[in-house]
Amino acid sequence: KWVLDMGQGVYDDFGNIEAIEGIVLDVTVQKKQKGQIVFLKEHDQLTGIYSRNRLQSEIKKLDHPSNWPLSVIVCDINGLRVINDAYGNEQGDKLIIKVAYLLQKCCKPGQVLGRVGGDEFMILLPCTDAQGAHKLSEDIHSEVERYNHGKKQSHYAISLSVGYSTKHSGYQKIDNVVKYAEKYLKNTKLLNRQSYHSAIVSSIMAALYAKSQETEEHGQRLGQYARLIGENLGLGLADLDDLQLLSKLHDIGKIGIDDRILNKPGKLTDEEWKMMKQHPEIGYRIALSTPQLEHIAKYILHHHERWDGAGYPRGLKGDTIPLLSRILAIVDAYDAMTEDRVYRQAMSHQCAL
């Protein structure tokens, strides 16, 4: 226990202490609360590693000749926004926690790890030159690869971009060293952007095929139908290519819908239907955050609009609905009618027309 003791001596007629009187207060709870406040201020609540505030004070403390060369490593999780949009923020938080754990495994005693933003981490390496920083960055990539190799059933692989910089002397300002590390990180991220987003989208589509009635063959059929319509309308090659891509990925947002709703054999309740109608917007957010899909994001958003304005999510009508979305809506409806579903048998070609 922690106690606060207040007391005074009791003296006899000759000035000798014969007793002590006073009060002892139990302040254990207050002491613990104060410690918790300090801990929360200095640590990231999600991962338990140092917070941005604590890192700033650590940088000032370590910026001393005895710690030079002082290296700074910054790491950024690739595609976190896509994962948040596809699987929800809870899954994104789990990814952040896992990355923090992997980075902690790579750090040696004396090295300081913290989270400085939503998907960004920083490591301070006292008495470490650029070669040492490069070695740690390679160790981080190796650790992530080992983790991904052991998690082959996961919906997505962890991908990190890493940048670093080193302070060698007092002529360099530590703030500029951090900026150089962040610039290095940004360049690395730009180089990797296409590949990791492509990998994430592929894994999302694989997961969607596994959890719902959506199939790759369905996307291929839609692509064929849509291309025939596009050619008859005299669309250019760019639009025809976009139709092919849209046919494959229009329902990517269904990855964020509960499996029980996607595969329910009977009629959906009003609440279930409300949730189902969210999938174009989920798909739109995924496409917007993915470089290769940005240009078809609006088509994904509007592929369930209707000519009479009774569609969703925006209730657009007539020519205000993007042309490619209208084409996709027609071929999707036709394919749905002419294929067996859990809730009904397929119609004939003539009935569907």
Side-chain angles (χ1 to χ4, degrees), residues 300-316:
I300 291 174
L301 178 64
H302 297 303
H303 78 275
H304 276 294
E305 304 288 0
R306 273 178 37 170
W307 187 257
D308 61 3
Y312 61 90
R314 299 286 186 266
L316 301 183

Side-chain angles (χ1 to χ4, degrees), residues 108-308:
K108 299 177 177 63
Q111 296 175 346
V112 182
L113 169 66
R115 182 180 173 208
V116 294
D119 57 0
E120 193 171 326
F121 299 81
M122 182 182 290
I123 308 172
L124 307 177
L125 291 75
C127 304
T128 306
D129 59 15
Q131 188 175 355
H134 178 72
K135 172 68 167 59
L136 180 56
S137 70
E138 288 188 330
D139 291 345
I140 290 169
H141 285 305
S142 297
E143 187 64 40
V144 168
E145 283 181 20
R146 276 195 294 273
Y147 173 80
N148 288 336
H149 186 70
K151 295 283 182 179
K152 289 184 177 178
Q153 300 304 315
S154 178
H155 292 324
Y156 53 84
I158 294 176
S159 174
L160 294 182
S161 292
V162 180
Y164 60 85
S165 186
T166 303
K167 175 170 182 172
H168 295 279
S169 69
Y171 293 108
Q172 297 168 278
K173 289 186 177 180
I174 190 64
D175 290 347
N176 288 336
V177 174
V178 173
K179 286 178 183 176
Y180 286 135
E182 290 173 342
K183 185 177 180 181
Y184 187 161
L185 169 71
K186 187 178 180 181
N187 291 340
T188 305
K189 202 170 180 70
L190 285 171
L191 289 171
N192 293 336
R193 202 172 179 214
Q194 296 288 335
S195 59
Y196 69 70
H197 272 105
S198 178
I200 289 174
V201 169
S202 296
S203 63
I204 288 173
M205 291 308 300
L208 178 60
Y209 295 148
K211 74 179 277 186
S212 74
Q213 300 170 62
E214 299 295 327
T215 64
E216 203 163 353
E217 291 75 19
H218 167 69
Q220 289 172 350
R221 287 196 302 272
L222 294 195
Q224 291 169 359
Y225 301 151
R227 191 172 189 92
L228 286 171
I229 292 177
E231 287 173 348
N232 273 277
L233 290 175
L235 298 184
L237 285 176
D239 283 337
L240 292 175
D241 288 343
D242 284 351
L243 272 174
Q244 294 289 105
L245 195 57
L246 180 63
S247 299
K248 181 180 178 183
L249 299 170
H250 63 286
D251 274 339
I252 194 170
K254 285 185 178 178
I255 194 69
I257 307 300
D258 191 296
D259 302 25
R260 290 169 295 183
I261 295 176
L262 289 178
N263 297 309
K264 186 175 180 179
K267 188 178 179 181
L268 298 181
T269 65
D270 289 345
E271 186 61 30
E272 289 170 337
W273 186 235
K274 185 178 177 182
M275 294 177 69
M276 177 65 92
K277 284 183 174 181
Q278 293 175 3
H279 83 267
E281 294 184 274
I282 296 172
Y284 172 73
R285 293 197 301 271
I286 293 172
L288 267 189
S289 57
T290 309
Q292 312 97 305
L293 307 183
E294 283 177 297
H295 61 293
I296 65 164
K298 68 176 180 180
Y299 305 136
I300 291 174
L301 178 64
H302 297 303
H303 78 275
H304 276 294
E305 304 288 0
R306 273 178 37 170
W307 187 257
D308 61 3

Side-chain angles (χ1 to χ4, degrees), residues 17-32:
I17 293 179
E18 57 182 15
I20 294 177
E21 64 180 7
I23 186 170
V24 179
L25 300 174
D26 183 352
V27 293
T28 305
V29 174
Q30 293 93 319
K31 192 74 175 176
K32 284 183 178 178

